[in-house]
Structure formats: structure tokens, C-alpha cells
């Protein structure tokens, strides 16, 4: 029996393929930018390498502005991704950042 082959996805910044476990998956759905920890949300995902330099470059170059124009949402997501400990941080499956239309403030939802 053949061992299971690793699944490869392309990094948004470097355009190189990496195993899916080495990447962060972001999904834009229903006006929310979602950090999909398990990788099973519907919609196409954006993959970013978990390397701290790559995360910093993605936000410096403004690559994610294409997916959402909300600067506050991008700053919150940037802080969250930079502060995460990728080996031990397993406290939630999904991280939603969205704009509350009634109060016009940024909200965080963890599942």
C-alpha cells in the first residue's frame, strides 16, 4: 500500500508550492476575511507560508488589499497572524474578523 502523498498549495507571495501543513489559509466569504485553521471552509482559499518574514512581507506589500478594503480589518488580522505560535496555538478552529454594520466597529469571532 502506498503512503499518502502530501497535498501541496501555492504560497501567495513567493508563488512556490509547499505542503498544506506549512501554510496559513485565509478565505474571504460573506464580507468577512476568515482565518481557516482546519482548511475545510467552502470557497477558494488564499495560502500564505507560516514563516514570520513572509507574513510581514504580505502585509507590507498590501497584497491582501485586493480581497478587502477595510484597513482596520487587515491590521487586526496582521497582529493576530504575527503573534500566533504556529506549533502550539490550537485554541480555536476559525477566526473571523468582520465589520459590525450597526455599531460600525471591528469584531472578532472565534469558533
Amino acid at each position: 500500500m502506498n503512503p499518502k502523498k502530501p497535498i501541496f498549495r501555492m504560497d501567495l507571495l513567493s508563488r512556490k508550492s509547499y505542503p498544506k501543513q506549512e501554510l496559513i489559509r485565509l478565505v474571504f466569504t460573506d464580507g468577512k476575511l476568515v482565518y481557516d485553521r482546519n482548511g475545510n471552509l467552502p470557497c477558494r482559499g488564499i495560502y500564505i507560508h507560516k514563516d514570520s518574514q513572509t507574513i510581514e512581507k504580505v502585509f507590507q506589500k498590501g497584497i491582501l488589499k485586493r480581497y478587502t478594503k477595510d484597513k482596520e480589518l487587515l491590521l487586526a488580522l496582521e497582529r493576530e497572524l504575527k503573534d500566533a505560535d504556529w506549533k502550539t496555538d490550537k485554541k480555536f478552529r476559525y477566526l473571523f474578523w468582520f465589520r459590525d454594520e450597526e455599531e460600525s466597529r471591528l469584531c472578532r469571532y472565534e469558533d
Side-chain angles (χ1 to χ4, degrees), residues 2-9 17-23:
N2 292 339
K4 203 171 191 182
K5 291 183 181 179
I7 299 172
F8 285 84
R9 295 291 183 251
S17 293
Y18 294 99
K20 203 172 175 182
Q21 293 80 17
E22 295 179 18
L23 300 169

Side-chain angles (χ1 to χ4, degrees), residues 11-15 26 33 46-49 53-69 74 77-78:
D11 175 34
L12 182 66
L13 182 67
S14 67
R15 310 299 287 174
L26 302 174
L33 193 59
I46 304 165
Y47 293 91
I48 302 170
H49 196 263
Q53 293 175 344
T54 304
I55 293 170
E56 193 169 321
K57 284 181 185 177
V58 164
F59 287 102
Q60 277 180 351
K61 291 185 175 188
I63 294 173
L64 295 179
K65 289 180 184 175
R66 172 185 199 179
Y67 302 98
T68 182
K69 303 294 183 202
L74 288 173
L77 184 63
E78 180 181 10

Side-chain angles (χ1 to χ4, degrees), residues 15-90:
R15 310 299 287 174
K16 292 181 183 176
S17 293
Y18 294 99
K20 203 172 175 182
Q21 293 80 17
E22 295 179 18
L23 300 169
I24 300 165
R25 183 172 190 248
L26 302 174
V27 177
F28 186 73
T29 180
D30 298 328
K32 302 171 198 158
L33 193 59
V34 180
Y35 168 42
D36 183 13
R37 186 172 295 277
N38 290 341
N40 59 0
L41 284 178
C43 297
R44 289 185 169 242
I46 304 165
Y47 293 91
I48 302 170
H49 196 263
K50 288 182 182 178
D51 181 24
S52 61
Q53 293 175 344
T54 304
I55 293 170
E56 193 169 321
K57 284 181 185 177
V58 164
F59 287 102
Q60 277 180 351
K61 291 185 175 188
I63 294 173
L64 295 179
K65 289 180 184 175
R66 172 185 199 179
Y67 302 98
T68 182
K69 303 294 183 202
D70 192 347
K71 291 180 182 179
E72 190 178 345
L73 179 111
L74 288 173
L75 288 173
L77 184 63
E78 180 181 10
R79 280 191 306 265
E80 193 72 37
L81 293 178
K82 284 183 177 180
D83 293 342
D85 182 6
W86 300 111
K87 294 179 180 169
T88 59
D89 190 18
K90 301 278 186 191

